[in-house]
Amino acid sequence: MSKVRMLLPIVIGDYTDFFSSMHHAKNCGTIFRGPENPIPQNWFHLPIAYHGRASSIVISGTDVVRPRGQGPPSGNSPPSFGPSQKLDFELEMAAVVGPGNKLGESIDVNKAADHIFGLVLMNDWSARDIQAWEYVPLGPFLGKSFGTTISPWIVTLEALEPFACDAPKQEPHPLLYLEEKISRNYDIPLEVWIKPAKHQHPSIVTKSNFKNLYWTLTQQVAHHTINGCNLRPGDLLGTGTISGSEDESLGCLLELSWNGKKRYS
Ligand SMILES: O=C(O)/C=C/C(=O)CC(=O)CC(=O)O
Ligand SMILES: [Ca+2]
Ligand SMILES: [Mg+2]
């Protein structure tokens, strides 16, 4: 295996990234918008997502160039500009679309599993300073689009069947098109390890689990297509950052360091 060069396993036409961990949504909301109403009202009714950039998705091991860009101004000065000072990872998995749907048609939530070929690991690299300044009102753009890393192996949903578990109870009850007969998650322990340049060995920085997701993969597919938008084979649907409720299970440095305020070692 060490002699093999891994390549992207699919041609990715489109990439969408969801926002489906409640803990992550609450923490990001608190950091970016304040503690009053950290989770927006719509979050509990629909799986929120943004459209990502497919061209910069690379395979694990590919160097990612530190992005340059604008950051928030401090006081009356103009916005900052330069290499990002807040480069972050986001612990995610992503679904690879199988057959997909025709333009104008929707995928039924109870049949949506047939449209997911399998899952990969994903890191949605994020420049928090660029993101914090640019995201109002249209959401993430250059703070995310410089790079996204996925693993070369696609684990099929069939292979994950032994790890299937119940999804969390959803309150308020979702609208009919998001209501599923069987609502399933997967018990997949996930870890992030970082090896700083001058260190010999990597250290673990977080331990989370796929089952921390509130919205299921099948609800994401049903919601994505409810307006008739067509998913195509090879499209990538990121789960969103998978944070748990514990301090040790947060899925990015923004949360682990509380936007740089908390020392993380
Ligand atoms: O709350 C925000 O404004 C932004 C949050 C993110 O950066 C998260 C994102 O990319 C979606 C996710 O990974 O859950
Ligand atoms: Ca993300
Ligand atoms: Mg990214």
Side-chain angles (χ1 to χ4, degrees):
M1 260 321 174
S2 60
K3 297 204 180 78
V4 173
R5 190 164 66 92
M6 295 294 177
L7 299 172
L8 274 178
I10 34 169
V11 177
I12 303 168
D14 275 297
Y15 154 50
T16 302
D17 193 20
F18 284 89
F19 188 43
S20 289
S21 147
M22 188 174 15
H23 307 291
H24 178 67
K26 184 171 179 201
N27 292 332
C28 287
T30 306
I31 292 167
F32 283 133
R33 294 170 283 279
E36 296 74 36
N37 279 311
I39 306 183
Q41 190 196 357
N42 59 358
W43 193 93
F44 289 97
H45 295 277
L46 53 92
I48 294 181
Y50 72 93
H51 278 283
R53 182 81 196 159
S55 65
S56 54
I57 300 176
V58 295
I59 205 69
S60 190
T62 308
D63 284 344
V64 170
V65 176
R66 181 178 172 186
R68 293 186 306 161
Q70 292 194 24
S74 54
N76 290 330
S77 46
S80 64
F81 181 80
S84 172
Q85 303 297 311
K86 288 189 178 176
L87 189 54
D88 203 353
F89 65 83
E90 285 190 331
L91 167 60
E92 304 196 26
M93 290 189 76
V96 176
V97 172
N101 56 312
K102 286 202 187 108
L103 182 61
E105 294 180 0
S106 308
I107 296 177
D108 184 298
V109 71
N110 293 306
K111 296 189 183 130
D114 296 343
H115 293 272
I116 299 170
F117 176 62
L119 297 184
V120 291
L121 292 168
M122 190 175 105
N123 176 358
D124 176 16
W125 298 99
S126 298
R128 300 304 186 187
D129 37 6
I130 299 173
Q131 179 185 354
W133 174 230
E134 75 177 359
Y135 87 99
V136 180
L138 293 187
F141 182 33
L142 304 184
K144 303 268 190 186
S145 62
F146 59 92
T148 303
T149 301
I150 62 168
S151 60
W153 297 97
I154 304 173
V155 183
T156 61
L157 272 202
E158 285 81 0
L160 289 168
E161 199 49 42
F163 308 98
C165 60
D166 289 341
K169 197 174 151 35
Q170 296 180 332
E171 193 56 52
H173 206 70
L175 292 184
L176 206 56
Y177 78 93
L178 293 171
E179 194 182 300
E180 28 194 8
K181 292 198 180 90
I182 303 170
S183 192
R184 59 186 2 170
N185 246 355
Y186 295 91
D187 185 354
I188 307 172
L190 298 163
E191 296 178 353
V192 175
W193 293 66
I194 294 183
K195 190 176 92 57
K198 290 186 185 128
H199 288 220
Q200 227 187 337
H201 301 290
S203 311
I204 189 160
V205 292
T206 200
K207 271 185 177 201
S208 188
N209 194 303
F210 189 94
K211 68 184 177 190
N212 286 320
L213 293 171
Y214 181 90
W215 293 105
T216 64
L217 295 173
T218 36
Q219 288 176 317
Q220 293 174 348
V221 167
H223 184 65
H224 205 310
T225 60
I226 191 63
N227 64 347
C229 170
N230 49 331
L231 292 177
R232 293 179 294 194
D235 281 359
L236 198 70
L237 309 181
T239 56
T241 308
I242 306 175
S243 295
S245 58
E246 319 280 311
D247 284 354
E248 301 74 33
S249 63
L250 303 174
C252 62
L253 290 172
L254 177 76
E255 293 170 86
L256 288 162
S257 73
W258 213 252
N259 200 15
K261 290 195 176 67
K262 202 165 111 187
R263 192 169 172 79
Y264 190 76
S265 54

